[in-house]
Amino acid sequence: MNKLTTLCYIEKDNKYLMLHRIKKENDINHDKWIGVGGKFELGESPEECLLREVKEETGYTLTAWKYRGIITFVYGEDIVEYMSLFTADEFEGTPIDCNEGVLEWVEKERISELNLWEGDRIFFRLLEEREDFFSLKLVYDTEDVLIHAVLDGKELALQNGIV
């Protein structure tokens, strides 16, 4: 099964708006902290999906964003997700409760303390270190262990699922 999704890390005052996924049943992201975003609707561009999903999950309308990379997730033997990764630093609107979890502004230096997917730690590092667009492939086994990572076509060395 192939999926197309977006993910956005909204920045303000050296913090990211993080979503603690605790409200949905049968959620592959249950109890993980992630950005906001979701699945493309038919005919949407990455930017259209980004704007709709951010509005639905946060109440915010983005006014400035940057397309940072494409993440290819492979999970087990039958799930492939192509995720368009964005950051945003300008928005307007009134925050709302998210039906997928709890939204919280988290200091960037505290992000590593959260319960994250191991591959997310890689793209957080890339978001801080690089300004250019990147392509990252992350392969997980069915036990949620990162077993393979490729950045811009070059394999990254992993030790026990950690780069």
Side-chain angles (χ1 to χ4, degrees), residues 44-61:
E44 280 186 321
S45 69
E47 294 80 6
E48 290 167 329
C49 180
L50 163 75
L51 294 171
R52 179 185 51 75
E53 285 286 348
V54 167
K55 180 74 171 174
E56 288 175 4
E57 292 183 1
T58 69
Y60 295 135
T61 299

Side-chain angles (χ1 to χ4, degrees), residues 114-130:
L114 302 176
N115 182 21
L116 305 171
W117 288 96
E118 207 52 53
D120 291 18
R121 296 178 192 284
I122 298 170
F123 58 76
F124 272 117
R125 188 181 80 229
L126 294 171
L127 290 175
E128 291 302 313
E129 294 174 0
R130 292 177 56 168

Side-chain angles (χ1 to χ4, degrees), residues 45 48 62 78 99 114 127 138 142 161:
S45 69
E48 290 167 329
L62 298 181
D78 62 346
N99 66 356
L114 302 176
L127 290 175
L138 302 167
T142 55

Side-chain angles (χ1 to χ4, degrees), residues 47-110:
E47 294 80 6
E48 290 167 329
C49 180
L50 163 75
L51 294 171
R52 179 185 51 75
E53 285 286 348
V54 167
K55 180 74 171 174
E56 288 175 4
E57 292 183 1
T58 69
Y60 295 135
T61 299
L62 298 181
T63 56
W65 62 88
K66 185 174 181 183
Y67 198 164
R68 301 296 301 274
I70 184 80
I71 313 297
T72 303
F73 288 102
V74 179
Y75 186 80
E77 295 182 15
D78 62 346
I79 298 175
V80 178
E81 177 180 342
Y82 300 98
M83 184 186 75
S84 295
L85 180 65
F86 292 86
T87 53
D89 58 5
E90 293 180 28
F91 56 92
E92 56 191 27
T94 303
I96 61 171
D97 285 335
C98 180
N99 66 356
E100 297 181 4
V102 177
L103 292 164
E104 182 178 329
W105 290 100
V106 179
E107 299 280 344
K108 287 183 180 181
E109 60 268 5
R110 284 195 44 240

